[in-house]
Amino acid sequence: MNLYRLEMMKIRISTYLKAALGICAGLWCLGILFLFIFLLESPTDPESVELFSQWDGLFALISALTFSTHSVFAACLSSGIIIGEYFGKNAPVLLTFPIQRKSVLHKKCLIICTVTIAAAFFCNVTTMGMMYIASKLFRITPQMLTKHFVLTVFLASILTGAAASALGIISCLAGWQKQSQTATIIASLVIICFITNWIALFPCYIVPVMLLMSIVLAAIAVMIYNILTKKLENLEV
C-alpha cells in the first residue's frame, strides 16, 4: 500500500482528474443532445428509432462513448506512468529502486485500473442522471423497456470502466515496443475502432455485452502484463 501511495504521489493526478471532468462535461452535453434528436429529426430507420427513443438505446450510446473516451484516457495514463517513466529521463532512477520491478509495474497497472474505473463510472452514471433530469424538465419520455434500469446503469458503468482500463494496459505493449507514448495512444484508437460498435448494436443486452467485453479484454491485459513484466526484468539501466 505504501508503494501504491508513492506511485500516486509521483504522478500529477490533478491533470488526469481535470481531463476526466472535461470528458464528463462533453458527454453531459451530448447526452442531452441525444434526447432531442428523436423529437427534431424523427428518424425512420428502425435502428435509429431504437437508439434514440428508448432509454436502453440512449444508455448504449452513452456507454459506447464512455468506453471510447476512457480507453484513450487509460492509454494516456499508462503512456505517462509506464512508457514515459521507463523510457524517459527518470528511467535510471526507477530501474535502480531496491524494490522488485514487477511490484512497481503491478502498482502502476493498479493505478490505471482504479482511476479509469472510477472516472468511467462517475461519467456514465452522472450523464444518465443529467439526461433523466433533462427529460423531466423538457417532458421528453423515452420508452423504458428494461426492468431494474438503475441497477443496469450501475453494473454496466463499472464494466465499462473495467474494459476501458484493460484496453489502456493492452495498448501499452505498442508503446513499449516503439518506446513511444504516442504509439500507446494510437494503438488504443485503433482497437477502439474495431470493438466500440458492438456496445451500441445490442442495447437491450448491455450488461452481458460489457461483461463479455470486460472478460476478454481483461484476459488479454493479463497476458500483456506478463509480457511487460518479462521485458521489464530484462531492461537494462
Side-chain angles (χ1 to χ4, degrees):
M1 184 58 69
N2 290 333
L3 182 57
Y4 180 85
R5 290 178 180 175
L6 178 63
E7 288 295 325
M8 285 293 289
M9 291 172 62
K10 284 170 58 182
I11 66 175
R12 295 180 179 178
I13 193 65
S14 60
T15 302
Y16 294 103
L17 291 179
K18 290 176 183 177
L21 288 175
I23 293 172
C24 276
L27 288 183
W28 292 342
C29 296
L30 280 174
I32 294 173
L33 178 63
F34 286 159
L35 283 174
F36 291 94
I37 287 179
F38 182 74
L39 296 179
L40 297 177
E41 297 294 336
S42 298
T44 56
D45 180 60
E47 292 184 0
S48 298
V49 172
E50 183 180 11
L51 285 175
F52 293 107
S53 67
Q54 301 172 6
W55 279 113
D56 302 88
L58 291 168
F59 180 55
L61 284 173
I62 294 300
S63 296
L65 289 171
T66 300
F67 171 74
S68 300
T69 53
H70 285 81
S71 293
V72 177
F73 174 85
C76 292
L77 185 57
S78 62
S79 70
I81 68 175
I82 296 180
I83 307 302
E85 291 198 14
Y86 283 115
F87 295 101
K89 61 182 180 180
N90 295 327
V93 178
L94 187 62
L95 293 173
T96 54
F97 271 177
I99 305 172
Q100 286 188 348
R101 295 180 180 183
K102 182 178 180 180
S103 298
V104 177
L105 181 62
H106 174 74
K107 292 299 184 291
K108 290 180 181 294
C109 291
L110 184 61
I111 290 172
I112 294 168
C113 293
T114 303
V115 174
T116 304
I117 291 173
F121 177 81
F122 176 80
C123 183
N124 228 25
V125 171
T126 55
T127 300
M128 293 306 298
M130 289 282 189
M131 292 174 67
Y132 178 78
I133 293 172
S135 70
K136 293 298 182 182
L137 289 175
F138 297 102
R139 297 181 181 180
I140 303 172
T141 56
Q143 296 179 2
M144 180 74 73
L145 301 180
T146 301
K147 295 181 179 179
H148 311 296
F149 184 69
V150 174
L151 180 61
T152 298
V153 170
F154 277 87
L155 289 176
S157 298
I158 294 174
L159 293 171
T160 299
S165 62
L167 196 149
I169 294 173
I170 292 169
S171 61
C172 236
L173 182 60
W176 192 285
Q177 293 290 97
K178 298 294 184 180
Q179 298 185 15
S180 168
Q181 293 179 252
T182 305
T184 306
I185 299 170
I186 293 175
S188 69
L189 290 171
V190 172
I191 299 171
I192 287 168
C193 292
F194 285 100
I195 63 178
T196 302
N197 286 339
W198 289 99
I199 301 174
L201 283 177
F202 305 99
C204 293
Y205 303 97
I206 185 72
V207 172
V209 169
M210 291 312 305
L211 179 60
L212 178 61
M213 187 178 294
S214 298
I215 291 173
V216 173
L217 291 176
I220 298 173
V222 171
M223 293 172 58
I224 299 299
Y225 168 77
N226 290 328
I227 293 172
L228 292 179
T229 300
K230 293 179 180 178
K231 289 181 177 292
L232 180 60
E233 294 297 335
N234 297 325
L235 194 64
E236 296 182 357
V237 179

